[in-house]
Amino acid sequence: MTGKQHLFPVTNALNMVFRKIYFYLSEMENTNEDLRFPIGRFKLPKEVSFNEVLKAKEIITNFPKKLNDAFKALSENQLALPYRPDGWTARQVIHHCADSHMNALIRFKLALTEDKPFIKPYDQSKWAELSDNKLDPALSIMILENIHKRWVALMDDMTDEDWKRSFVHPEYQQEQRLEQAAMLYAWHCEHHLAHVLSIR
């Protein structure tokens, strides 16, 4: 057996090891993606139908109650659990929803009263680490209940032209119509509700 022939079994064995490692890492990546985005990633639609707007509004309307039901089913220990490795805890997720939807209501109001305003971004990861995120999540549930009442009341009175109004995100230099924003926040509701439910 020549030196090259002797190397073939070693090379094949190494290839098998590398393939197993590759498939293992791929599976880990897919699992983490599923945990991070249990309902899939959001894709900004170019066109939004009237029925899609109505469906988004329905999801936004019902979200506080659904989140509250999910929250009440969790123990104190479960509230401290992350929904994925290196992810937020259930407590942080609930507080984040209040932070996010406060900003959403303001963005809607800016777009309805100004011509393509630039919105103010915020670092949601840093917000999630602030001390108020250690408080009882029931406080953020109450905030959400009242924000959503005002938000839905605003949407109920919006005309077709209002839904076409937009704001601009300075980080992405991207204009977003309110009908698209409604789709985004409806996804956001279901996205984080799935996180909290997964901890149960």
Side-chain angles (χ1 to χ4, degrees):
M1 180 182 287
T2 67
K4 285 186 178 180
Q5 288 173 324
H6 180 70
L7 283 175
F8 283 148
V10 176
T11 304
N12 288 337
L14 282 174
N15 282 338
M16 287 296 293
V17 170
F18 286 135
R19 283 169 65 184
K20 285 181 180 179
I21 292 172
Y22 171 78
F23 286 122
Y24 173 75
L25 292 175
S26 296
E27 282 297 312
M28 289 291 291
E29 186 177 339
N30 290 337
T31 299
N32 192 48
E33 179 78 2
D34 290 343
L35 291 173
R36 190 178 177 191
F37 298 101
I39 65 166
R41 289 178 181 265
F42 177 72
K43 294 178 182 176
L44 188 70
K46 290 185 179 179
E47 300 299 327
V48 181
S49 70
F50 179 67
N51 285 337
E52 286 173 322
V53 169
L54 289 179
K55 178 63 177 174
K57 190 168 68 170
E58 180 184 359
I59 291 169
I60 291 168
T61 300
N62 295 328
F63 176 64
K65 183 183 184 310
K66 288 185 176 182
L67 186 63
N68 189 39
D69 290 343
F71 157 62
K72 286 181 176 178
L74 298 180
S75 67
E76 277 297 316
N77 287 338
Q78 287 174 316
L79 284 170
L81 292 175
Y83 67 88
R84 66 179 173 89
D86 300 319
W88 287 340
T89 65
R91 185 185 304 274
Q92 287 175 305
V93 169
I94 294 169
H95 287 309
H96 161 73
C97 289
D99 290 341
S100 174
H101 296 187
M102 280 190 273
N103 278 278
L105 177 59
I106 290 169
R107 290 171 181 183
F108 265 66
K109 294 180 79 130
L110 284 170
L112 289 168
T113 56
E114 299 177 21
D115 185 27
K116 298 179 183 177
F118 278 75
I119 60 166
K120 175 71 172 70
Y122 66 101
D123 189 328
Q124 61 183 22
S125 296
K126 288 183 179 178
W127 281 38
E129 295 298 326
L130 293 173
S131 58
D132 62 327
N133 282 272
K134 297 174 184 175
L135 296 172
D136 185 350
L139 294 170
S140 281
I141 297 285
M142 286 190 288
I143 289 171
L144 281 164
E145 287 170 349
N146 289 289
I147 284 173
H148 280 237
K149 283 178 185 176
R150 293 190 63 180
W151 194 6
V152 172
L154 194 67
M155 290 191 284
D156 282 342
D157 204 41
M158 286 170 61
T159 64
D160 290 344
E161 291 74 22
D162 288 335
W163 285 106
K164 300 297 181 187
R165 295 183 69 87
S166 61
F167 55 75
V168 180
H169 198 298
E171 280 184 18
Y172 311 114
Q173 292 294 312
Q174 184 180 27
E175 189 178 329
Q176 191 172 110
R177 299 188 308 276
L178 292 183
E179 61 187 5
Q180 294 172 309
M183 298 289 289
L184 168 62
Y185 284 106
W187 171 86
H188 190 259
C189 290
E190 296 192 316
H191 169 66
H192 284 307
L193 179 62
H195 288 155
V196 176
L197 289 172
S198 71
I199 294 174
R200 287 195 309 190

